[in-house]
mmCIF file of all heavy atoms in Angstrom:
data_model
loop_
_atom_site.group_PDB
_atom_site.id
_atom_site.type_symbol
_atom_site.label_atom_id
_atom_site.label_comp_id
_atom_site.label_asym_id
_atom_site.label_seq_id
_atom_site.Cartn_x
_atom_site.Cartn_y
_atom_site.Cartn_z
ATOM 1 N N ILE A 20 -31.881 89.843 69.165
ATOM 2 C CA ILE A 20 -32.890 88.848 69.545
ATOM 3 C C ILE A 20 -33.402 88.044 68.356
ATOM 4 O O ILE A 20 -33.579 86.830 68.432
ATOM 5 C CB ILE A 20 -34.056 89.552 70.266
ATOM 6 C CG1 ILE A 20 -33.604 90.006 71.654
ATOM 7 C CG2 ILE A 20 -35.272 88.643 70.385
ATOM 8 C CD1 ILE A 20 -34.634 90.800 72.411
ATOM 9 N N LYS A 21 -33.632 88.707 67.228
ATOM 10 C CA LYS A 21 -34.212 88.002 66.077
ATOM 11 C C LYS A 21 -33.289 86.920 65.536
ATOM 12 O O LYS A 21 -33.748 86.002 64.853
ATOM 13 C CB LYS A 21 -34.561 89.002 64.978
ATOM 14 C CG LYS A 21 -33.369 89.715 64.358
ATOM 15 C CD LYS A 21 -33.815 90.684 63.281
ATOM 16 C CE LYS A 21 -32.635 91.420 62.647
ATOM 17 N NZ LYS A 21 -33.065 92.379 61.619
ATOM 18 N N LEU A 24 -34.083 83.743 68.177
ATOM 19 C CA LEU A 24 -35.418 83.160 68.309
ATOM 20 C C LEU A 24 -35.614 81.883 67.491
ATOM 21 O O LEU A 24 -36.243 80.924 67.969
ATOM 22 C CB LEU A 24 -36.480 84.202 67.943
ATOM 23 C CG LEU A 24 -36.647 85.368 68.923
ATOM 24 C CD1 LEU A 24 -37.662 86.370 68.389
ATOM 25 C CD2 LEU A 24 -37.078 84.862 70.303
ATOM 26 N N GLU A 70 -37.043 97.879 70.474
ATOM 27 C CA GLU A 70 -37.919 97.939 69.301
ATOM 28 C C GLU A 70 -38.205 96.550 68.753
ATOM 29 O O GLU A 70 -39.323 96.244 68.338
ATOM 30 C CB GLU A 70 -37.288 98.824 68.211
ATOM 31 C CG GLU A 70 -37.292 100.300 68.538
ATOM 32 C CD GLU A 70 -38.690 100.819 68.820
ATOM 33 O OE1 GLU A 70 -39.616 100.508 68.041
ATOM 34 O OE2 GLU A 70 -38.879 101.514 69.838
ATOM 35 N N MET A 71 -37.190 95.685 68.760
ATOM 36 C CA MET A 71 -37.387 94.322 68.269
ATOM 37 C C MET A 71 -38.407 93.584 69.136
ATOM 38 O O MET A 71 -39.308 92.918 68.631
ATOM 39 C CB MET A 71 -36.054 93.574 68.259
ATOM 40 C CG MET A 71 -36.166 92.101 67.863
ATOM 41 S SD MET A 71 -36.981 91.851 66.258
ATOM 42 C CE MET A 71 -35.842 92.733 65.190
ATOM 43 N N LEU A 72 -38.292 93.721 70.459
ATOM 44 C CA LEU A 72 -39.255 93.077 71.350
ATOM 45 C C LEU A 72 -40.655 93.629 71.157
ATOM 46 O O LEU A 72 -41.643 92.906 71.237
ATOM 47 C CB LEU A 72 -38.819 93.254 72.805
ATOM 48 C CG LEU A 72 -37.786 92.252 73.314
ATOM 49 C CD1 LEU A 72 -37.280 92.656 74.689
ATOM 50 C CD2 LEU A 72 -38.372 90.853 73.364
ATOM 51 N N HIS A 73 -40.738 94.919 70.889
ATOM 52 C CA HIS A 73 -42.046 95.529 70.648
ATOM 53 C C HIS A 73 -42.685 94.945 69.385
ATOM 54 O O HIS A 73 -43.882 94.640 69.367
ATOM 55 C CB HIS A 73 -41.902 97.038 70.514
ATOM 56 C CG HIS A 73 -43.185 97.739 70.168
ATOM 57 N ND1 HIS A 73 -44.276 97.769 71.025
ATOM 58 C CD2 HIS A 73 -43.558 98.421 69.051
ATOM 59 C CE1 HIS A 73 -45.263 98.437 70.450
ATOM 60 N NE2 HIS A 73 -44.859 98.845 69.260
ATOM 61 N N HIS A 74 -41.875 94.742 68.344
ATOM 62 C CA HIS A 74 -42.396 94.213 67.081
ATOM 63 C C HIS A 74 -42.811 92.749 67.186
ATOM 64 O O HIS A 74 -43.667 92.290 66.421
ATOM 65 C CB HIS A 74 -41.365 94.383 65.964
ATOM 66 C CG HIS A 74 -41.199 95.800 65.507
ATOM 67 N ND1 HIS A 74 -42.266 96.587 65.121
ATOM 68 C CD2 HIS A 74 -40.093 96.586 65.376
ATOM 69 C CE1 HIS A 74 -41.830 97.790 64.755
ATOM 70 N NE2 HIS A 74 -40.519 97.825 64.911
ATOM 71 N N VAL A 75 -42.205 92.006 68.108
ATOM 72 C CA VAL A 75 -42.574 90.591 68.267
ATOM 73 C C VAL A 75 -43.548 90.397 69.425
ATOM 74 O O VAL A 75 -43.709 89.288 69.936
ATOM 75 C CB VAL A 75 -41.321 89.697 68.460
ATOM 76 C CG1 VAL A 75 -40.432 89.752 67.249
ATOM 77 C CG2 VAL A 75 -40.542 90.098 69.714
ATOM 78 N N GLY A 76 -44.221 91.470 69.837
ATOM 79 C CA GLY A 76 -45.299 91.338 70.806
ATOM 80 C C GLY A 76 -44.879 91.258 72.258
ATOM 81 O O GLY A 76 -45.590 90.660 73.074
ATOM 82 N N ASN A 77 -43.726 91.870 72.591
ATOM 83 C CA ASN A 77 -43.291 91.886 73.995
ATOM 84 C C ASN A 77 -43.327 90.502 74.641
ATOM 85 O O ASN A 77 -44.070 90.254 75.581
ATOM 86 C CB ASN A 77 -44.133 92.877 74.804
ATOM 87 C CG ASN A 77 -43.900 94.315 74.388
ATOM 88 O OD1 ASN A 77 -42.810 94.662 73.938
ATOM 89 N ND2 ASN A 77 -44.918 95.142 74.506
ATOM 90 N N PHE A 78 -42.559 89.590 74.101
ATOM 91 C CA PHE A 78 -42.380 88.220 74.604
ATOM 92 C C PHE A 78 -43.467 87.244 74.156
ATOM 93 O O PHE A 78 -43.382 86.063 74.477
ATOM 94 C CB PHE A 78 -42.281 88.183 76.136
ATOM 95 C CG PHE A 78 -41.113 88.929 76.691
ATOM 96 C CD1 PHE A 78 -41.290 90.147 77.321
ATOM 97 C CD2 PHE A 78 -39.831 88.418 76.584
ATOM 98 C CE1 PHE A 78 -40.216 90.855 77.835
ATOM 99 C CE2 PHE A 78 -38.751 89.112 77.101
ATOM 100 C CZ PHE A 78 -38.943 90.331 77.727
ATOM 101 N N SER A 79 -44.485 87.688 73.434
ATOM 102 C CA SER A 79 -45.512 86.741 72.992
ATOM 103 C C SER A 79 -44.931 85.719 72.019
ATOM 104 O O SER A 79 -45.360 84.561 71.998
ATOM 105 C CB SER A 79 -46.684 87.485 72.337
ATOM 106 O OG SER A 79 -46.267 88.184 71.184
ATOM 107 N N VAL A 80 -43.943 86.112 71.221
ATOM 108 C CA VAL A 80 -43.327 85.176 70.287
ATOM 109 C C VAL A 80 -42.511 84.127 71.044
ATOM 110 O O VAL A 80 -42.437 82.967 70.615
ATOM 111 C CB VAL A 80 -42.447 85.915 69.251
ATOM 112 C CG1 VAL A 80 -41.193 86.492 69.893
ATOM 113 C CG2 VAL A 80 -42.050 84.972 68.113
ATOM 114 N N VAL A 81 -41.916 84.503 72.184
ATOM 115 C CA VAL A 81 -41.186 83.531 72.995
ATOM 116 C C VAL A 81 -42.155 82.492 73.555
ATOM 117 O O VAL A 81 -41.884 81.291 73.555
ATOM 118 C CB VAL A 81 -40.418 84.232 74.137
ATOM 119 C CG1 VAL A 81 -39.715 83.209 75.029
ATOM 120 C CG2 VAL A 81 -39.409 85.227 73.576
ATOM 121 N N ASN A 121 -47.335 87.362 78.925
ATOM 122 C CA ASN A 121 -47.116 86.332 77.914
ATOM 123 C C ASN A 121 -46.391 85.092 78.416
ATOM 124 O O ASN A 121 -46.435 84.051 77.754
ATOM 125 C CB ASN A 121 -46.332 86.927 76.742
ATOM 126 C CG ASN A 121 -47.117 87.995 76.006
ATOM 127 O OD1 ASN A 121 -48.223 87.758 75.536
ATOM 128 N ND2 ASN A 121 -46.554 89.196 75.924
#
Side-chain angles (χ1 to χ4, degrees):
I20 289 176
K21 65 180 180 181
L24 291 176
E70 289 303 313
M71 176 55 61
L72 277 171
H73 176 65
H74 288 308
V75 297
N77 293 330
F78 298 106
S79 62
V80 70
V81 177
N121 295 304

